[in-house]
C-alpha cells in the first residue's frame, strides 16, 4: 500500500492554483442529440485543423462544463492530454444513475428505480459508437474515461464492474452511501483490473444529518480498500479529500479529477 496515492486538497495545492481563473475557453462547446439524449460536446483547441485522434471523456449527467473546461485548457499538452468531452444529460437521475431499486431519500423525489445498467448499455451500444464513427476519437478502452458527480459518480464506478470499455473512471463525491453498493464491490471483480480510478469526497459530506447518507465517508474509504485489493496497479488509484460539502467548487473538482485521469504519459 505504500504506493497508493492519497491527497488532502488543503495540504497539497500550491497558492497559484487558487488564483486560476479568468481564462477564456479556446475549444468549441456545442449541443447535439444522440439517440434520445441531449449531449454537450466539447472539442479541444486545434481539433478542426488536426489529423490527430483524441481520448474521450464521457461525463454522465453533465450539461454545462464551460467553467471546468476553462480551468483545464491551460494544462493541455503539459500535465494533461487534450481530450474530447461529451456530457450526457439525464432527465431522471434517480432512474439513470441507480444500480438497483432502493427507497427514495426524500418524500418529494422520484424513487431509485435501478436504471443504471440500461443507461450504461445505451452509452456503450449507442453513444460511444456514434462518437467513434463521427469524431476523431481514440477508440481503445485505455483512451476512454467515464466520469460523474454524486449519483452519476456512483454509476461511473458501477461501470467498472459491468464493462471493459472504459479504463479511466472518475467518481466525484460519489453516492457510495447507496445501499448494498459496497457489498456489491466486495463480491464482484472489476472488468478491467488495470483501470485508473479517481475517487473524491468533500470533508463535510459525512457530517450530514441524513442517516442513510451519513456513512458516505466510511463507505468511500471501504471502496478504496476494495479497489486497492482488486486493481493491478495501486498507483492508478487516487482518493482525494476536498474542503467543504457536496456542492462546493464543483468545476474545480472536475478539473482536479480530469488532470489526474487524463495526465500526460511519463
Amino acid at each position: 500500500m505504500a504506493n497508493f496515492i492519497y491527497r488532502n486538497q488543503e495540504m497539497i495545492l500550491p497558492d497559484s492554483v487558487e488564483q486560476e481563473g479568468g481564462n477564456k475557453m479556446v475549444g468549441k462547446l456545442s449541443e447535439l442529440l444522440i439517440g434520445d439524449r441531449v449531449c454537450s460536446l466539447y472539442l479541444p483547441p486545434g481539433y478542426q485543423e488536426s489529423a490527430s485522434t483524441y481520448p474521450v471523456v464521457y461525463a454522465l449527467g453533465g450539461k454545462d462544463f464551460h467553467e471546468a473546461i476553462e480551468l483545464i485548457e491551460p494544462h493541455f499538452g503539459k500535465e494533461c492530454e487534450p481530450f474530447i468531452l461529451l456530457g450526457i444529460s439525464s432527465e431522471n437521475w434517480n432512474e439513470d444513475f441507480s444500480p438497483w431499486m432502493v427507497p427514495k431519500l426524500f418524500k418529494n423525489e422520484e424513487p431509485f428505480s435501478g436504471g443504471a445498467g440500461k443507461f450504461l448499455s445505451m452509452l456503450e451500444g449507442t453513444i460511444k459508437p456514434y462518437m467513434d464513427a463521427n469524431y476523431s476519437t481514440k477508440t481503445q478502452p485505455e483512451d476512454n474515461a467515464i466520469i460523474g458527480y454524486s449519483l452519476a459518480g456512483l454509476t461511473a464506478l458501477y461501470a467498472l464492474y459491468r464493462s471493459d470499455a472504459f479504463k479511466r473512471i472518475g467518481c466525484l463525491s460519489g453516492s457510495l452511501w447507496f445501499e448494498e453498493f459496497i457489498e456489491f464491490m466486495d463480491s464482484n471483480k472489476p472488468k478491467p483490473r488495470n483501470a485508473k480510478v479517481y475517487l473524491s469526497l468533500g470533508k463535510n459530506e459525512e457530517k450530514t444529518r441524513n442517516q442513510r447518507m451519513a456513512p458516505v465517508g466510511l463507505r468511500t474509504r471501504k471502496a478504496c480498500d476494495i479497489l486497492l485489493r482488486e486493481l493491478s496497479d495501486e498507483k492508478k488509484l487516487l482518493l482525494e479529500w476536498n474542503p467543504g460539502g457536496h456542492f462546493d467548487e464543483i468545476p474545480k473538482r472536475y478539473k482536479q479529477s480530469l488532470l489526474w485521469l487524463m495526465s500526460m504519459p511519463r
Side-chain angles (χ1 to χ4, degrees):
M1 293 183 56
N3 292 322
F4 163 57
I5 303 172
Y6 171 94
R7 295 204 309 202
N8 182 328
Q9 247 263 355
E10 292 176 333
M11 292 169 58
I12 66 160
L13 281 182
D15 293 340
S16 60
V17 174
E18 299 298 331
Q19 298 170 6
E20 280 188 348
N23 299 307
K24 297 297 183 182
M25 187 174 64
V26 180
K28 180 182 178 183
L29 192 59
S30 60
E31 190 174 279
L32 74 159
L33 187 69
I34 305 177
D36 63 352
R37 296 286 170 164
V38 176
C39 300
S40 296
L41 174 67
Y42 166 73
L43 301 175
Y47 173 86
Q48 301 292 349
E49 298 77 31
S50 176
S52 299
T53 54
Y54 295 84
V56 184
V57 175
Y58 294 92
L60 309 187
K63 291 183 178 179
D64 185 6
F65 288 96
H66 194 281
E67 189 174 348
I69 289 167
E70 286 182 339
L71 293 173
I72 293 167
E73 276 190 343
H75 300 270
F76 282 166
K78 302 170 186 175
E79 301 100 311
C80 178
E81 295 180 80
F83 56 78
I84 295 169
L85 183 144
L86 187 76
I88 307 160
S89 68
S90 171
E91 297 301 323
N92 188 340
W93 278 53
N94 286 9
E95 177 181 353
D96 286 339
F97 302 137
S98 56
W100 43 80
M101 296 178 65
V102 301
K104 58 187 176 182
L105 272 176
F106 305 106
K107 182 190 297 186
N108 296 324
E109 73 174 10
E110 296 291 326
F112 298 101
S113 52
K118 181 180 178 182
F119 181 93
L120 291 172
S121 294
M122 177 268 299
L123 171 59
E124 190 173 351
T126 301
I127 291 181
K128 185 180 182 302
Y130 177 90
M131 291 297 296
D132 291 340
N134 291 279
Y135 295 92
S136 299
T137 65
K138 292 182 176 179
T139 61
Q140 296 304 306
E142 56 267 22
D143 296 309
N144 286 272
I146 183 170
I147 188 171
Y149 201 94
S150 193
L151 269 176
L154 178 81
T155 298
L157 189 56
Y158 185 47
L160 181 68
Y161 293 85
R162 287 186 52 93
S163 171
D164 58 5
F166 309 95
K167 289 190 176 180
R168 306 190 198 197
I169 310 291
C171 176
L172 286 65
S173 286
S175 300
L176 298 183
W177 55 264
F178 196 89
E179 284 86 353
E180 302 300 320
F181 191 78
I182 297 303
E183 291 79 4
F184 167 82
M185 289 180 65
D186 204 22
S187 58
N188 288 272
K189 302 289 186 183
K191 294 288 186 181
R193 293 191 64 243
N194 60 342
K196 189 176 187 180
V197 181
Y198 177 96
L199 306 174
S200 73
L201 199 67
K203 294 179 182 178
N204 293 337
E205 294 194 53
E206 58 189 334
K207 298 177 183 178
T208 177
R209 295 181 181 179
N210 186 295
Q211 294 303 302
R212 286 175 64 192
M213 299 174 73
V216 67
L218 178 66
R219 294 182 182 179
T220 299
R221 295 177 184 92
K222 178 62 175 176
C224 187
D225 290 342
I226 293 169
L227 292 169
L228 275 172
R229 183 186 75 210
E230 298 295 344
L231 295 177
S232 60
D233 185 353
E234 60 190 27
K235 293 179 183 178
K236 290 186 175 181
L237 175 65
L238 186 152
L239 171 58
E240 183 147 54
W241 293 91
N242 294 306
H246 191 67
F247 298 103
D248 292 323
E249 298 187 307
I250 293 175
K252 182 178 174 182
R253 294 180 183 186
Y254 270 103
K255 173 210 155 188
Q256 291 162 194
S257 65
L258 288 170
L259 286 182
W260 187 77
L261 282 171
M262 311 306 289
S263 60
M264 297 283 287
R266 295 184 179 182

